[in-house]
Every structure is written in C-alpha cells, then in structure tokens.
Amino acid sequence: MRLGKFITIEGPEGSGKSTHSRLLCGYLRRNGRKVVHTREPGGTGISEAVRQILLSNKNKGMADACELLLFMAARAQIVEEVIKPALKKGYIVVCDRFHDATVAYQGYGAGMDLRTIESMRKLATGGLKPDLTVLLDVESGIGLRRGGAHDRMETKSPGFHKRVRNGYLRLAAKEPRRVKVICTTRSSVNDVQERVREAVNNVI
C-alpha cells in the first residue's frame, strides 16, 4: 500500500531542479514531514555507478539506445531500493528527475520512439507515477548559460536542448493535473520556491 507522496522536480538544464528540490525538502522537514530526497540517475550504489557512465564526457560516442537503456536500468534500481520502500512507510519522496526526463531527453530530444519508452517505463517502475511533478521551465539558451561544469548531456547541441524543453511543455499540456509548470527564466529563487511549496502543499 502506498502511504506516502511521490513528488518529482523536472526541467531543462539550468532550471534550478537541484536547488529547489533541496530547499523543498528542508521546508518539509521543518514542518514535521518525513522526507526522502533523491535524484536520477543515481540514489543507490548501482544507480550512481550508472550515472557516472551516462554523464562522463569520455562516453560521447554512446548510442541513443544504450543511453535509454542505462537510464531505465538506474531507474529500476532506485524505484525498487529507495522509492517504493519509502512510500510504503509514509514518507514524502522528492526526486530530482524521474521518467518525464527520459520522455523529454531521449524521446523528444533524441527522437527515440515514445511508445517504446512508455513500455519500458512500466517495466522499470512497475507502473509507479508521481503524485505531483513540478516542471521548472527555463529558456534553453538561458538555462545552459547558468550551468557550471558541463557533463555529456549538457554538451549536446542547442537544437537538442530546445527539443527537450518543448517536450517537457508538451508533457505538461497532456497532464495538467499532475504536471505544474513554474517559469524560472526571470524569477528569483525565493519567488520560485514559494510557488513550488504552494504546489506541493496542495497535494500533501
């Protein structure tokens, strides 16, 4: 039985996912909530090892199919090892990226078949979907300029990143009850975080 709430933070590069997921978790804990904060790819020993392969600039020749399979493998492990057990115990799980990132990046960005990705989602997650997805939207050029060190995903072409952003927005249009869009292009961290907390409080 799923007793907790599953919240994911999504968005293109430089949208502030890591910052706002961390701030959100601090806010929830200060208000007496039991919280697990994790990330994708990563969050377990196995998944973090996969993350190193996926993000290393040494692997720029990685095939799109290989990339997709590695993301799914890391997801399967974190769902089984971290997310599902925490939800069963009544925790709020806040995850920096989840399956929507695969649809946006490997689907819309890289052009992989969306039906294939959906079939793989069912295998990797057992059908698990977030109760709420906060999509932090930013213009792709601005987001990329905000970033620091560039990993393999960040160094993909500007056209790729534009397709990723458009893919996220298409997902939000398809599932407006689950996916809440918050623009971060010209908003302060405090303003964005206030809107993030409002969206989360409406769910929990």
Side-chain angles (χ1 to χ4, degrees):
M1 183 180 294
R2 180 167 161 180
L3 300 175
K5 293 291 184 181
F6 184 28
I7 297 162
T8 58
I9 311 294
E10 294 278 4
E13 305 299 334
S15 58
K17 298 175 304 301
S18 298
T19 295
H20 286 289
S21 63
R22 175 178 52 80
L23 290 173
L24 173 63
C25 288
Y27 165 76
L28 292 171
R29 289 180 179 126
R30 289 193 300 274
N31 284 274
R33 302 285 187 172
K34 299 186 298 181
V35 179
V36 169
H37 184 202
T38 191
R39 68 176 181 176
E40 273 213 353
T44 74
I46 293 171
S47 300
E48 289 290 339
V50 175
R51 179 186 180 90
Q52 293 302 313
I53 296 170
L54 279 164
L55 301 187
S56 173
N57 282 311
K58 296 178 181 178
N59 299 323
K60 288 187 176 180
M62 184 181 295
D64 290 338
C66 178
E67 181 179 282
L68 173 62
L69 290 164
L70 286 172
F71 273 112
M72 290 293 186
R75 180 165 304 129
Q77 189 63 32
I78 194 174
V79 166
E80 187 68 21
E81 187 175 335
V82 176
I83 297 175
K84 283 187 176 179
L87 291 174
K88 287 180 180 178
K89 294 177 182 177
Y91 281 76
I92 297 173
V93 178
V94 177
C95 192
D96 181 347
R97 294 200 189 281
F98 194 61
H99 181 73
D100 291 318
T102 298
V103 177
Y105 279 77
Q106 285 70 55
Y108 289 102
M112 299 292 288
D113 183 69
L114 295 176
R115 289 171 297 181
T116 299
I117 292 174
E118 174 61 15
S119 296
M120 295 175 72
R121 178 190 72 82
K122 295 175 182 177
L123 176 63
T125 69
L128 177 67
K129 292 192 75 170
D131 296 291
L132 170 69
T133 296
V134 176
L135 173 55
L136 301 177
D137 180 47
V138 64
E139 295 174 18
S140 56
I142 293 175
L144 289 170
R145 288 195 294 273
R146 286 178 180 172
H150 296 298
D151 61 37
R152 190 182 66 85
M153 298 301 295
E154 291 169 332
T155 55
K156 289 179 181 278
S157 72
F160 172 86
H161 288 287
K162 287 180 181 178
R163 293 192 299 274
V164 168
R165 184 197 180 201
N166 290 336
Y168 270 128
L169 294 175
R170 290 181 70 174
L171 281 169
K174 289 179 181 178
E175 296 187 64
R177 294 186 65 182
R178 175 178 69 87
V179 184
K180 304 302 180 185
V181 182
I182 298 174
C183 180
T184 71
T185 298
R186 296 176 181 83
S187 301
S188 71
V189 171
N190 287 341
D191 287 344
V192 172
Q193 180 61 200
E194 184 177 343
R195 295 180 64 191
V196 171
R197 293 175 183 180
E198 180 181 359
V200 171
N201 284 330
N202 287 337
V203 170
I204 63 173

